[in-house]
Amino acid sequence: MMLDRGIAFMSDTRTNAGLDNISTYRKMTIWEEPGERSITLMSAGNLATTQAVVSLLEERTKAPDDRNPSIMAEPSMFQVARLVAGTLREVIETHAQGGQRADSAFNATLILGGQIKGTPPRLFLIYPEGNFIEAGSDTPFFQIGEMKYGRPILVRAYDPGLDFAQAMKLLLVSFDSTLKANLTVGAPFDYHFYETDSFATGRRGRVELNDPYFRKISTDWGESLKAALDQLPDYPD
């Protein structure tokens, strides 16, 4: 989510290849050069594809002589988005066999956000075909993966003036609504709150399913929904 204060990121960690093969994998990667740039990438879709994309991007940041192309050398977030989108398209095309398209089993979608010194914070949604769109006033947040259950929460309650504590609450309510309805989404949840013009990794961490705060949010939200429903007028006879 784009906020007046910065950018709020949150991702779940569940991966699955069927109901009998569920595991946990970090879907958020952060790169930083303190004082110069901070870049966060989140992924959804085929795990082999997203791992390969992150590995390629990571490898290209290691040695100074190999930093072309590199997300740590690009002059703007737009150029970083172009590089990441090209890498995603390259990986999908490499993995695909028999003429399968980007909407095949190798599909993956990415959210990329961050800030490079001298430019404002920016947030992008990158599609498997290699094209992307940018967040703005009309579309201030992006979701990837399973979104239909948690999206109504964000649509109704999002406000750019939220501080990071309020953003955490909103994001956890959204994820709680999703995981209760869909087995492909699950805790723990990774988060990163990037502060505008800090050019460094902000507050980050992981919220486990048994975290006392998350359990209270989940319980109180359910009870509040029931109370709100009871207060609505009954349908007339």
Side-chain angles (χ1 to χ4, degrees):
M1 296 189 301
M2 293 293 296
L3 302 171
D4 294 341
R5 186 171 175 178
I7 311 177
F9 302 91
M10 184 173 284
S11 61
D12 82 314
T13 53
R14 176 162 293 181
T15 63
N16 69 87
L19 294 179
D20 59 345
N21 186 14
I22 295 175
S23 59
T24 296
Y25 185 82
R26 184 178 295 275
K27 302 178 184 179
M28 180 186 297
T29 305
I30 302 173
W31 293 273
E32 72 165 348
E33 186 173 331
E36 201 274 334
R37 70 183 62 204
S38 175
I39 299 170
T40 300
L41 182 72
M42 299 191 298
S43 61
N46 182 275
L47 182 58
T49 297
T50 57
Q51 274 191 293
V53 170
V54 171
S55 295
L56 278 172
L57 295 172
E58 181 70 23
E59 184 66 25
R60 292 166 180 169
T61 68
K62 295 298 184 182
D65 293 341
D66 298 328
R67 289 175 60 166
N68 186 24
S70 168
I71 60 174
M72 302 305 286
E74 296 294 344
S76 70
M77 284 301 300
F78 179 80
Q79 294 299 329
V80 172
R82 289 187 60 186
L83 175 56
V84 174
T87 304
L88 175 60
R89 184 174 63 249
E90 170 191 340
V91 168
I92 290 176
E93 290 175 351
T94 300
H95 284 181
Q97 298 177 0
Q100 288 175 304
R101 298 167 57 88
D103 57 359
S104 70
F106 302 106
N107 182 17
T109 310
L110 306 174
I111 290 177
L112 172 75
Q115 186 179 19
I116 295 174
K117 192 172 184 179
T119 65
R122 301 175 76 174
L123 184 67
F124 299 90
L125 172 60
I126 302 175
Y127 297 102
E129 294 81 7
N131 54 339
F132 56 86
I133 60 175
E134 182 174 2
S137 58
D138 292 331
T139 309
F141 60 85
F142 291 131
Q143 292 174 278
I144 53 178
E146 179 52 72
M147 67 180 71
K148 58 182 174 289
Y149 302 105
R151 183 174 180 80
I153 308 298
L154 299 180
V155 170
R156 287 179 177 271
Y158 167 83
D159 187 296
L162 294 174
D163 61 29
F164 288 143
Q166 294 168 323
M168 169 70 90
K169 181 167 54 177
L170 175 58
L171 289 170
L172 287 178
V173 168
S174 178
F175 268 102
D176 180 61
S177 300
T178 302
L179 68 84
K180 280 183 167 54
N182 193 291
L183 292 176
T184 65
V185 176
F189 307 114
D190 293 319
Y191 65 89
H192 174 215
F193 298 140
Y194 173 75
E195 185 98 34
T196 297
D197 293 337
S198 64
F199 305 108
T201 301
R203 181 179 177 182
R204 62 181 298 191
R206 172 168 285 191
V207 178
E208 301 286 350
L209 190 62
N210 62 353
D211 181 272
Y213 177 73
F214 176 66
R215 291 175 63 182
K216 181 170 178 54
I217 286 291
S218 178
T219 300
D220 289 359
W221 174 248
E223 293 176 352
S224 296
L225 281 178
K226 293 175 184 177
L229 183 61
D230 290 340
Q231 292 174 13
L232 294 175
D234 291 335
Y235 185 75
D237 293 334

